Amino acid sequence: MVVELGSIDKETLQLWGEENHCYVNSLSSQEMESLSALCDTFLPAVDVKQAAAIDKDIADFFRASASAAGTPERLGGLMSERLKHPKKWLVRLCLWLLSTCIGSLILCGRYCFSSKFPYMHSFTQLPQNKREAVLVSWSLSYFYHLRMLYKAMKLLIFLVFFTQVNEKNENLSWKAIGYKGPDPEFKTKSMQRKTLRNEGLNDDDDEGQNDDGHEEEAELYGPLYKGLINMQLPRNIVADSLRQVGFPVSVRNKRNAAPSSIASPSLVIKCDAVVVGSGSGGGVIAGVLAKAGYKVLVLEKGSYCARSNLSLLEGKTMDQMYLAGGMLATDDMGVILLAGSTVGGGSTINWSASIKTPKHVANEWCDEYELKLFESDLYKEAMEVVCERMGVQSEVEEEGFNNAVLRRGCKELGYPVNNIPRNSPPDHYCGWCCLGCKDGSKKGTSETWLVDLVNSGNSAILPGCEAIEVLHKKRRDRNVATGVAFEFQYMGAKDICVVESKVTIVACGALSTPNLLKRSGLKNANIGKNLHLHPVTMAWGYFPKTSSSGEWPEEKKTSYEGGIMTAMSTTVGNFGKSGYGAVIQTPALHPGMFSSLMPWVSGADIKLRMCKFSRTAHIFVLARDQGSGTVNSPYSISYQMEAMDEENLKKGIEKILRILAAAGAEEIGTHHCKGKIINVKKASSEEFERFVKEESSRPLRDLSTPLSSAHQMGSCRMGIDPKTSVVNQMGETWGVEGLYLADTSVFPTALGVNPMVTVQAIAYCTAQSVLDVLRRKKSN
């Protein structure tokens, strides 16, 4: 039986995900003056006469500056309201200094001097060639903070410029660089859906609706729409909706005009289990408990985007579905961090890879860390169950551009290359899955485990609700979890509600779970420590289009289309020895991330590089890191990569450059800030070998080469001793009874491969422990 909650109306669901956020720019006029100058230094108007003869779109792109496109104003708003990095104050200080002559002298040195009166100029008064020389000097500076400033401004400016869109959802650069924008097939279907939506489904006939009608509704509004609670409605309506499902709810007296608080919440909801987070960990455990008949309430900080409400626009999606809008990095800007923050968590925006826990890792966790869970029949069963639920398979009908390059290069060189198991069908040829799955064929938790929860008829999901404290109290000599307090925006102000539960599960992800536990008063010294990031660095190869129909890769293929991950090489995996090596895979890079990672040496050069975007393949190396970091606060993350991790990444880059060349690339290079390129077709073997050796030996821990992370883990690790871990093998915290963790934060070490199957399997095992507790409480 499916219960329609009634709280979430279809009109509201149509708008969820479609709203555009306008951030208010609070930067001063001096800061904006410097920001505009920086934007136009990175992306100036370039008068290229040859471009006009070749292509009008390319000529328009070259002649457009960042300020003419409105990038400074957009970026100013993001920096004012969205950017939360702990060093933001330093960036703003530098912007102010650059608007003054003395400040510019401090930051820019000799470039500020002139032979003409007034002999010294501020950065904003310098000509383009001198400003470009300043930026190059920052990228290579002896002073670490100047390198940080360069990296931060480059990342932000390029991300905004290449993702901003007009009222037609178009960007002035996209035609020139060969980018289609949102999936054309999806755009067509979206228009058809909107037409159907405007015509309206017959809501009065819901009871008599056939299966086709329900499928049509699910296609329009997403498979979870009947299990969502709209917290923007009046409290009494929300309470009634929750009561329909069976949750006991008490509402605060309306006469009490004081703001809600944990001591005086606007609603108190009672349930069997509250789950904080709906990703690969929280989604699994919530689905298992709900299917077993227990009342489960899921709190999700992010919003819900139904299939029909996806924009597949890079900038908009990152703002809506990624943690901190995709603008998260370690304190020293050493690693860019990407994590999901939406219903379904990372499983909604990940790249489909569904790899079981490697045997050597399970053995290490079992033997060295004495966690017998990982050799148990239960864990083996869990991996099979979650893979079956996600429809994991390894076949691929047609390989996308990047993966085809990786596979061909590996075969030419004799490197091992294998198909990657994925939670999508063999014909899944997309490329936009990092922006949400357009048709539900990628089986994240919002298409699987959370659907089980909604179909149970006894549970609900509350999007846009952030847990602020795990509630617990002393009972005899034990500290016992009693529920969660959460907040959300209601009528322009924060409202607070409380969930009282028999068990509490926290699954906010490795970057957010530690902060919630610390705010809740847990004192375990290991909380937030032992963070691993799977650091990634990349190399690229350019494959120009050719008029010959027999040439490879086919002219129709582009770097951003096709299955994101279908091939993987373990040539530097070191699986048979220490187990700490690296794997080689391919990324999803749309123009914003592509441009922010590519080297910048001048304004003209970056525009030439971007014109090759659609035929530039990227391959990355991902290290199983021994280095670790600490989650200090919600937006403060420190991390130190060890020398061995750096060496493994360098070995991977060396292999990748060879793979790209063997696959037929005309030009190859890395992301190092010097931006060196070699034309493979024209270079001698000696020149090629010298280039590969030089580029693969460059240091990676000095901000000269961008590092990224899409996998964070280990910040509340599992163990057998509370002195060295946060949770036991059942997933229960050492300090608070009835409080369980179910996300990647519990990994004992870095995993070394994509973590989705492993975290789901651990969550499935934790769910069995929670079920035992709930059964005992039910029988008492």
Side-chain angles (χ1 to χ4, degrees), residues 436-457:
C437 188
K438 63 185 180 182
D439 56 14
S441 58
K442 183 180 75 172
K443 301 301 180 185
T445 60
S446 60
E447 299 286 343
T448 51
W449 301 98
L450 292 175
V451 176
D452 294 344
L453 176 138
V454 170
N455 289 342
S456 72

Side-chain angles (χ1 to χ4, degrees), residues 313-530:
L313 290 166
E314 184 183 11
K316 185 175 179 179
T317 299
M318 291 184 77
D319 187 45
Q320 292 178 343
M321 300 173 73
Y322 282 72
L323 188 63
M327 297 185 295
L328 192 62
T330 53
D331 291 351
D332 63 357
M333 287 298 297
V335 186
I336 300 163
L337 306 170
L338 296 175
S341 184
T342 184
V343 172
S347 72
T348 300
I349 46 87
N350 71 11
W351 301 348
S352 297
S354 305
I355 303 169
K356 290 183 179 180
T357 311
K359 193 170 182 181
H360 66 274
V361 177
N363 290 341
E364 179 186 338
W365 291 354
C366 179
D367 299 336
E368 294 186 28
Y369 291 86
E370 301 182 56
L371 295 166
K372 302 305 177 186
L373 168 68
F374 297 101
E375 68 172 1
S376 68
D377 290 338
L378 173 61
Y379 190 73
K380 294 171 187 173
E381 174 196 334
M383 284 199 289
E384 296 301 325
V385 169
V386 301
C387 285
E388 182 179 355
R389 187 67 186 90
M390 289 192 290
V392 174
Q393 59 84 43
S394 300
E395 299 302 313
V396 55
E397 287 187 4
E398 182 182 4
E399 204 143 43
F401 184 80
N402 294 325
N403 288 276
V405 168
L406 171 57
R407 192 181 299 275
R408 181 165 180 148
C410 285
K411 287 184 175 179
E412 290 288 332
L413 295 168
Y415 297 164
V417 59
N418 302 296
N419 284 10
I420 296 180
R422 305 178 314 285
N423 63 339
S424 54
D427 63 351
H428 189 60
Y429 192 88
C430 176
W432 283 266
C433 275
C434 55
L435 309 176
C437 188
K438 63 185 180 182
D439 56 14
S441 58
K442 183 180 75 172
K443 301 301 180 185
T445 60
S446 60
E447 299 286 343
T448 51
W449 301 98
L450 292 175
V451 176
D452 294 344
L453 176 138
V454 170
N455 289 342
S456 72
N458 51 37
S459 300
I461 304 166
L462 277 61
C465 295
E466 182 173 7
I468 55 175
E469 187 176 327
V470 174
L471 306 176
H472 51 95
K473 61 184 179 182
K474 282 280 187 182
R475 289 181 183 168
R476 300 189 182 94
D477 59 342
R478 301 172 300 165
N479 205 9
V480 180
T482 60
V484 170
F486 67 92
E487 68 180 14
F488 55 96
Q489 288 290 326
Y490 178 64
M491 297 181 69
K494 286 185 178 179
D495 200 359
I496 294 176
C497 297
V498 163
V499 181
E500 295 178 355
S501 60
K502 296 174 184 175
V503 292
T504 301
I505 298 102
V506 172
C508 310
L511 298 180
S512 299
T513 288
N515 299 309
L516 178 57
L517 299 186
K518 289 177 182 178
R519 284 200 306 267
S520 305
L522 275 71
K523 302 299 184 185
N524 188 308
N526 299 290
I527 294 173
K529 296 182 179 178
N530 307 301

Side-chain angles (χ1 to χ4, degrees), residues 77-144:
L78 284 172
M79 289 180 64
S80 301
E81 293 196 60
R82 196 73 166 105
L83 185 64
K84 305 294 184 183
H85 194 276
K87 296 291 195 304
K88 182 171 80 168
W89 68 271
L90 188 58
V91 172
R92 294 192 63 171
L93 174 62
C94 289
L95 289 176
W96 179 81
L97 287 171
L98 288 172
S99 70
T100 68
C101 289
I102 298 300
S104 296
L105 179 61
I106 294 170
L107 295 175
C108 308
R110 61 186 175 86
Y111 297 105
C112 294
F113 293 114
S114 170
S115 59
K116 298 180 181 179
F117 184 83
Y119 306 116
M120 189 168 72
H121 301 282
S122 68
F123 177 80
T124 58
Q125 296 169 329
L126 296 177
Q128 176 71 18
N129 64 324
K130 281 196 172 184
R131 293 203 311 268
E132 288 190 354
V134 168
L135 295 189
V136 171
S137 72
W138 286 356
S139 72
L140 300 167
S141 175
Y142 174 79
F143 297 103
Y144 199 87

Side-chain angles (χ1 to χ4, degrees), residues 695-767:
E695 293 303 304
S696 62
S697 62
R698 294 191 184 279
L700 297 172
R701 293 184 286 175
D702 62 354
L703 296 188
S704 61
T705 299
L707 298 178
S708 309
S709 164
H711 309 152
Q712 302 87 34
M713 66 213 84
S715 54
C716 293
R717 68 181 178 187
M718 182 182 289
I720 61 170
D721 187 345
K723 292 180 180 178
T724 58
S725 60
V726 179
V727 299
N728 60 25
Q729 294 188 70
M730 280 76 75
E732 189 174 26
T733 58
W734 292 110
V736 179
E737 184 180 307
L739 172 60
Y740 295 81
L741 306 187
D743 55 29
T744 57
S745 71
V746 304
F747 286 16
T749 69
L751 180 66
V753 295
N754 311 69
M756 181 161 60
V757 170
T758 298
V759 66
Q760 290 203 14
I762 293 174
Y764 182 86
C765 295
T766 300

Side-chain angles (χ1 to χ4, degrees), residues 36-55:
S36 295
L38 282 168
C39 287
D40 282 350
T41 308
F42 277 113
L43 289 162
V46 179
D47 187 14
V48 182
K49 295 179 181 178
Q50 292 178 345
I54 297 170
D55 187 284

Side-chain angles (χ1 to χ4, degrees), residues 553-723:
E554 301 94 320
E555 186 172 342
K556 66 175 184 177
K557 291 196 172 181
T558 62
S559 62
Y560 56 90
E561 293 180 287
I564 295 172
M565 282 186 168
T566 55
M568 177 177 78
S569 177
T570 58
T571 187
V572 289
N574 213 15
F575 287 0
K577 297 178 182 177
S578 70
Y580 283 88
V583 295
I584 294 174
Q585 299 175 330
T586 62
L589 293 178
H590 291 261
M593 287 305 296
F594 179 100
S595 61
S596 64
L597 293 172
M598 286 295 279
W600 181 93
V601 294
S602 73
D605 178 79
I606 194 63
K607 290 193 173 185
L608 286 170
R609 289 176 188 257
M610 288 306 297
C611 286
K612 299 176 181 179
F613 160 75
S614 66
R615 295 288 288 184
T616 299
H618 268 85
I619 301 175
F620 69 76
V621 53
L622 177 154
R624 185 186 179 206
D625 48 328
Q626 292 177 299
S628 64
T630 302
V631 180
N632 303 304
S633 67
Y635 301 102
S636 175
I637 298 119
S638 57
Y639 179 76
Q640 183 61 51
M641 186 167 65
E642 289 194 0
M644 184 55 68
D645 303 328
E646 184 179 29
E647 285 305 309
N648 287 331
L649 289 175
K650 288 179 180 180
K651 290 177 184 176
I653 286 294
E654 186 256 336
K655 298 292 187 185
I656 292 171
L657 290 170
R658 296 184 185 281
I659 288 168
L660 290 163
E666 181 175 286
E667 297 174 342
I668 60 173
T670 67
H671 286 162
H672 187 270
C673 62
K674 287 188 175 180
K676 291 198 172 180
I677 300 171
I678 188 171
N679 189 309
V680 181
K681 306 295 186 184
K682 297 179 180 178
S684 67
S685 59
E686 292 81 7
E687 289 172 328
F688 174 77
E689 289 298 327
R690 185 164 57 249
F691 178 85
V692 170
K693 183 178 180 181
E694 182 179 318
E695 293 303 304
S696 62
S697 62
R698 294 191 184 279
L700 297 172
R701 293 184 286 175
D702 62 354
L703 296 188
S704 61
T705 299
L707 298 178
S708 309
S709 164
H711 309 152
Q712 302 87 34
M713 66 213 84
S715 54
C716 293
R717 68 181 178 187
M718 182 182 289
I720 61 170
D721 187 345
K723 292 180 180 178

